[in-house]
Amino acid sequence: MENLTSVLSPLSISIPPNETGLMSHECPSPSCRKIFKIQLGTRLKGETSPLHCPYCGYEAGYQKFITKAQIEYAKSVFLNKVTCALLKDLKSLEFNYKPQGEFGIGISMEVSGRPTPIRGYQEEDLETEVVCDKCTLRYVIGGVFGFCPDCGTHNSLQILEKNFEQIEKLLMIAESQEPSISQQLIENALEDCVSAFDGFGRETCRVFGQQATNPEKVSKISFQNITKTADEVLNEFGVSLLDAVKADDWIDIQRAFQKRHLLAHTMGVVDKGYQKSTGDSASSVGRKITVTEEEIRKILRGLRAISYKLYHTLAVSHEANEES
């Protein structure tokens, strides 16, 4: 059994990355078990370094994150090699003794069969590719938000910045369009600003929720009403969003959020509730609200400042708690 013995000696089975160099991993936490991908060589220190699950933050050794599909693939490769070697060894024992003499009896042994087939291995499709701003690891996750598998940094601020960059590109396109289309693109940009900020805010509250006065309450904070949001964030985390911008800029941000509310619920037509909440004397009830490109750019600057303050304040506090 020379061939079989050589196969049963230490055997290394490599899992091939996909065509873009990404390798799938599965969170070993029983409550998670979600799939993500990373590209080795983009900052990750090696197979002995720990990984962080981008979804739940679970940390464990690199080899703990092997997927079920990879295990089945590796098993099939091993069985294929074993059965190939076994068949080859048995083939070497084949014989065929023909009958001798008038009443001779012939005897033979012929081996047939096929090796165990190797299972097909296919990477799972995921939606969002990220290159970590902090450690440069390239990774892909399902959904949008997640922790960097290498350094553990959450990507909510990075995703927000990407969304804001897309909005700025949308504004550039609006400049070259006829007035009606340009106005529609600008209004869409305002709605996108609020949606991106809301997604960032909710996720940031979820990630740092344990620092809140009432962790269960923070999951219900909506970032679509900036005035109410500021009060809730201050009460729960002790972070003042108003301090991130000038007083006049804060008023402009509040007014922009109210304009977005009109666009979403009244097709942009001004009502008494808008006038009362904003004090916008230039608007007329029953007339369509106006939104300008410069207004959107100013809102982007303000929301960037607010978001950076919220994220970094909570991140620094989290790191301090981890060290203590």
Side-chain angles (χ1 to χ4, degrees):
M1 297 292 180
E2 181 179 349
N3 289 296
L4 182 58
T5 301
S6 64
V7 167
L8 293 177
S9 62
L11 174 65
S12 176
I13 299 174
S14 61
I15 307 296
N18 67 12
E19 63 277 2
T20 61
L22 294 160
M23 177 76 73
S24 288
H25 294 77
E26 179 178 331
C27 178
S29 172
S31 61
C32 185
R33 297 293 187 188
K34 292 182 180 178
I35 302 293
F36 62 97
K37 300 178 184 180
I38 63 173
Q39 183 177 9
L40 295 178
T42 54
R43 179 61 175 85
L44 207 65
K45 302 176 184 65
E47 294 189 0
T48 59
S49 62
L51 279 181
H52 300 83
C53 172
Y55 307 105
C56 69
Y58 184 87
E59 182 178 339
Y62 179 88
Q63 294 294 346
K64 296 287 187 180
F65 285 81
I66 190 168
T67 71
K68 294 182 181 69
Q70 290 167 347
I71 292 173
E72 293 303 316
Y73 170 78
K75 285 181 179 178
S76 70
V77 171
F78 176 77
L79 289 175
N80 177 267
K81 291 181 178 294
V82 168
T83 52
C84 274
L86 183 59
L87 286 170
K88 190 172 183 180
D89 281 336
L90 292 176
K91 276 283 187 183
S92 68
L93 300 177
E94 287 184 336
F95 60 86
N96 183 13
Y97 297 137
K98 295 182 179 180
Q100 301 292 325
E102 184 175 355
F103 300 103
I105 298 175
I107 185 171
S108 65
M109 184 183 75
E110 183 178 353
V111 177
S112 62
R114 295 181 179 180
T116 301
I118 296 176
R119 292 174 62 97
Y121 176 69
Q122 185 174 359
E123 295 281 351
E124 184 174 332
D125 290 332
L126 301 171
E127 293 91 1
T128 304
E129 180 175 321
V130 183
V131 176
C132 179
D133 281 344
K134 184 174 181 179
C135 73
T136 72
L137 177 74
R138 178 181 174 224
Y139 63 98
V140 181
I141 56 176
V144 176
F145 296 109
F147 298 93
C148 172
D150 186 6
C151 67
T153 300
H154 197 267
N155 70 358
S156 56
L157 193 60
Q158 187 174 347
I159 294 296
L160 177 71
E161 183 57 38
K162 285 188 175 182
N163 285 328
F164 282 177
E165 289 173 359
Q166 291 297 322
I167 293 169
E168 289 170 334
K169 291 178 182 178
L170 186 65
L171 293 176
M172 292 178 64
I173 294 173
E175 293 176 355
S176 61
Q177 304 300 313
E178 62 182 69
S180 61
I181 295 177
S182 177
Q183 185 60 37
Q184 184 63 58
L185 290 175
I186 291 171
E187 291 176 2
N188 289 345
L190 176 57
E191 295 199 58
D192 291 344
C193 280
V194 177
S195 295
F197 180 69
D198 183 50
F200 156 80
R202 289 174 184 269
E203 183 67 9
T204 300
C205 284
R206 184 191 69 82
V207 171
F208 299 109
Q210 292 305 312
Q211 298 174 216
T213 303
N214 186 347
E216 294 182 0
K217 186 178 179 180
V218 296
S219 63
K220 300 177 182 178
I221 296 178
S222 169
F223 280 67
Q224 294 186 14
N225 183 329
I226 192 69
T227 305
K228 183 178 179 182
T229 297
D231 291 339
E232 292 178 323
V233 168
L234 181 60
N235 291 335
E236 292 299 325
F237 294 104
V239 179
S240 174
L241 302 185
L242 282 72
D243 292 344
V245 294
K246 296 178 180 178
D248 289 346
D249 292 336
W250 179 256
I251 292 173
D252 289 337
I253 291 172
Q254 288 178 303
R255 185 171 296 175
F257 271 63
Q258 288 295 325
K259 287 185 177 183
R260 179 264 174 191
H261 181 81
L262 291 179
L263 291 171
H265 299 284
T266 69
M267 297 294 290
V269 177
V270 176
D271 56 21
K272 290 182 179 179
Y274 170 81
Q275 283 191 327
K276 181 179 179 180
S277 61
T278 64
D280 185 0
S281 58
S283 63
S284 300
V285 174
R287 301 295 295 272
K288 200 169 186 303
I289 201 72
T290 59
V291 184
T292 66
E293 177 188 341
E294 180 54 37
E295 189 175 1
I296 302 301
R297 294 190 184 279
K298 190 172 184 179
I299 298 310
L300 284 171
R301 291 193 294 270
L303 291 182
R304 274 192 173 102
I306 291 170
S307 301
Y308 273 72
K309 176 172 183 179
L310 175 62
Y311 181 88
H312 287 297
T313 301
L314 296 182
V316 168
S317 177
H318 175 73
E319 290 178 2
N321 292 335
E322 288 288 303
E323 293 175 357
S324 61

